[in-house]
Every structure is written in structure tokens, then in C-alpha cells.
Amino acid sequence: MARYLLLPLGALALASCGGEPADPPSVEQVAEAADNLVKPTPGLYRSTARLTEFEVPGLPEAQVAQMREMMGASASQSNETCLTPEQAEEGFRTMARQLGEGQQGVKCEFARFDADGSTLDAALTCTGPGGVDVAMDMDGTIEPTRSDLTMTMTQKNAGLPGGGEIRLAMAVQSERIGDCP
């Protein structure tokens, strides 16, 4: 699946538990809870992401503007992805498991899940090699043939410019545009 389709699917996986537990849920608990979500409709989807905020505290504005322009150009793209009937039937179980298990040395822990009908509010934190620490919040609406999400991320790492923190927000939309070719 294309990366922008994965973002809304990943957000759906995160939304599966409802409420804020005393202890973070396990990867398997989240994957199982993801089965309770509406399943996407198979078909061709167009997904777009748009950078809405980008800040690097402590870095001169000229450098931030240059970085914002580069990030905005790479994030503001549209992708089309075919979601097969098998992938749609799986729903968000696999995505939830992949997010929780992490990839390439990155480990994530779900902090909050709140899904009510088509409304999503979720949060997770991830740590990775080199002291990378990311906090992510996702909220928006999700339906079988479309999603509209806002993702806010704060990344901390001593190796980052401007004192080690980058904050950004993205609007991510995905919509079914027809059958797969």
C-alpha cells in the first residue's frame, strides 16, 4: 500500500480501544480491538497529505522556512493505491500489529485510543536508534470509503538542528475513487 493510504489505515488501527487505560494496551490487544472497526471498501484510493505546520524551535526562521518548503513539497503529494478485497477483509489488524511492533529498530507504544463511530482520537509514542523520541496525535473522521485525519508530531533528538526538536502537523485525506484497474 502507498504511504499516504497507510497513514489513515494506521490511524484507524490506533483508534481501536477507546478510553485511556492505566497501562498501555499490548500490540495484540490493539490488533484484536482493530477488528471492531469498520472495514474499508476494496477499490482504488487517492490519498493526499499536506503539511500544515512545521516548527524547529531555536533555529533561525530562514532555515526553518527552507526546511518547511522541502518538507511541504515532499509531503504534498497524491498517491493512488489499490486496496484488494483480501486487504479490506483484514481490516486494520495487520496495520495495528505493524505499528506496535515497530520497524527498523523503532518501537512504539500506544497511549490513547478513542474511536466512536467515525470519530478518531489516538496517540502513541515511538523511540528509535540514536535517541529518537516521537510523540504523535491523530484525530479526524473515518468512513468505509474515505478518511480525513490530522496528525501532529513532535520529534526530539539531540542530533536535530535548533536544540533537538521538530514539531509538525499534516492533514491526510484518503478517498475511494473507483474500482482497481
Side-chain angles (χ1 to χ4, degrees):
M1 289 185 203
R3 66 181 168 167
Y4 295 123
L5 182 59
L6 292 179
L7 292 173
L9 294 178
L12 282 171
L14 294 175
S16 56
C17 290
E20 220 169 302
D23 293 319
S26 70
V27 172
E28 191 54 38
Q29 288 171 321
V30 172
E32 288 176 14
D35 287 339
N36 296 325
L37 297 169
V38 63
K39 292 184 180 181
T41 303
L44 184 63
Y45 284 79
R46 178 176 297 131
S47 298
T48 57
R50 179 176 50 87
L51 188 68
T52 59
E53 292 180 38
F54 185 83
E55 300 175 18
V56 185
L59 199 63
E61 181 53 37
Q63 288 179 312
V64 172
Q66 184 178 17
M67 291 173 72
R68 186 180 300 122
E69 184 177 325
M70 290 181 350
M71 287 287 296
S74 67
S76 299
Q77 297 179 15
S78 178
N79 292 303
E80 291 184 5
T81 302
C82 178
L83 185 65
T84 68
E86 295 80 18
Q87 290 168 321
E89 181 59 33
E90 175 68 16
F92 305 103
R93 175 179 273 277
T94 300
M95 181 63 58
R97 187 173 283 116
Q98 288 173 343
L99 285 170
E101 291 173 351
Q103 298 175 9
Q104 300 175 347
V106 176
K107 292 290 183 185
C108 297
E109 184 174 85
F110 303 98
R112 179 180 71 246
F113 306 92
D114 188 10
D116 184 14
S118 63
T119 303
L120 164 69
D121 181 22
L124 74 152
T125 57
C126 301
T127 57
V132 172
D133 182 9
V134 178
M136 183 184 319
D137 288 296
M138 298 181 205
D139 64 77
T141 58
I142 298 156
E143 300 169 12
T145 60
R146 61 177 287 111
S147 63
D148 187 3
L149 302 171
T150 299
M151 298 176 23
T152 305
M153 293 168 262
T154 301
Q155 179 177 348
K156 296 180 181 180
N157 183 318
L160 292 172
E165 183 173 288
I166 294 178
R167 295 187 297 252
L168 63 93
M170 296 178 72
V172 181
Q173 289 86 32
S174 183
E175 183 172 21
R176 187 179 188 278
I177 57 173
D179 294 332
C180 294

